[in-house]
Amino acid sequence: MRSSALTLSPRALSSHVPATSRLSADVTDRAIASALPTRLRPADLLRLTDEGAEDVLAGRYDHLLPPGGAWPREERWATRLSADEEVDVWLISWVPDRSTELHDHAGSLGALTVLSGALSEFRWNGRELRERTLSAGDQASFPLGWVHDVVRAPENAVPGPLDPTLSVHAYSPPLTAMSYYEVTGHGTLRRNRTVLTDQPEGDVK
Ligand SMILES: [Fe+2]
């Protein structure tokens, strides 16, 4: 049975919330916002990667792509589509069997849109690694503390309109560091190293 509260408009609903609770929620929201390192939100980054993917597919970044469509076949490849003090946007080409290793994005939020091929993501959920497949058109965002390993999905993934497996990523603030992890035999994460880098999703050639 549906709760009658679900049929209330936001204005009506707010009128049923005690003023002290609303004040507390406002203070909490402001505290969270001021603690984040960027004014951009995951939804903003998702939109930027969506727009970037659309621009790549429309040929607006052809001048940044490998000449003659010769996508690297052995190593992951990336090019920066845009950058300012708030956000970096990258195009990444993925090759088989070159995972990123388990990593975080230090103090940056992130997001991606897959525009061709498919990616396999293995995310640490606090107890284990959970796998999901991100296919062309899929999006994902990475809040602070997100630890994952990303690799090109097996060849049986449905190909997109371009031959290579491509994704557009946005990071805010722009990436400055990443930490790498391993899963221990005790079901915990161990941080192995932290590197200063402005390159997306692990070192790329
Ligand atoms: Fe990542």
Side-chain angles (χ1 to χ4, degrees), residues 19-33:
T20 51
S21 296
R22 290 201 303 275
L23 179 61
S24 174
D26 289 346
V27 169
T28 301
D29 288 347
R30 281 202 302 274
I32 291 172

Side-chain angles (χ1 to χ4, degrees), residues 97-150:
D97 303 321
R98 291 284 191 278
S99 87
T100 59
E101 298 183 46
L102 266 182
H103 66 275
D104 66 17
H105 312 94
S108 299
L109 312 181
L112 70 79
T113 293
V114 179
L115 60 148
S116 177
L119 301 174
S120 295
E121 182 199 46
F122 300 84
R123 181 180 72 86
W124 180 251
N125 69 0
R127 299 180 307 280
E128 59 185 359
L129 293 176
R130 296 295 299 268
E131 180 181 3
R132 64 174 168 172
T133 300
L134 300 167
S135 301
D138 286 346
Q139 295 191 293
S141 62
F142 318 133
L144 292 181
W146 194 269
V147 174
H148 67 172
D149 186 7
V150 183

Side-chain angles (χ1 to χ4, degrees), residues 16-116:
H16 286 70
V17 177
T20 51
S21 296
R22 290 201 303 275
L23 179 61
S24 174
D26 289 346
V27 169
T28 301
D29 288 347
R30 281 202 302 274
I32 291 172
S34 65
L36 290 173
T38 171
R39 71 183 180 90
L40 298 181
R41 296 292 173 262
D44 300 315
L45 300 183
L46 288 168
R47 178 180 52 77
L48 287 171
T49 61
D50 192 39
E51 292 172 355
E54 196 173 303
D55 287 344
V56 169
L57 290 171
R60 297 188 186 99
Y61 287 114
D62 280 358
H63 59 291
L64 296 177
L65 306 186
W71 297 95
R73 294 179 174 274
E74 303 298 326
E75 302 292 344
R76 204 161 52 250
W77 172 96
T79 189
R80 197 183 258 116
L81 300 179
S82 63
D84 59 27
E85 66 279 3
E86 283 194 306
V87 60
D88 264 357
V89 181
W90 292 83
L91 172 67
I92 301 178
S93 164
W94 301 79
V95 295
D97 303 321
R98 291 284 191 278
S99 87
T100 59
E101 298 183 46
L102 266 182
H103 66 275
D104 66 17
H105 312 94
S108 299
L109 312 181
L112 70 79
T113 293
V114 179
L115 60 148
S116 177

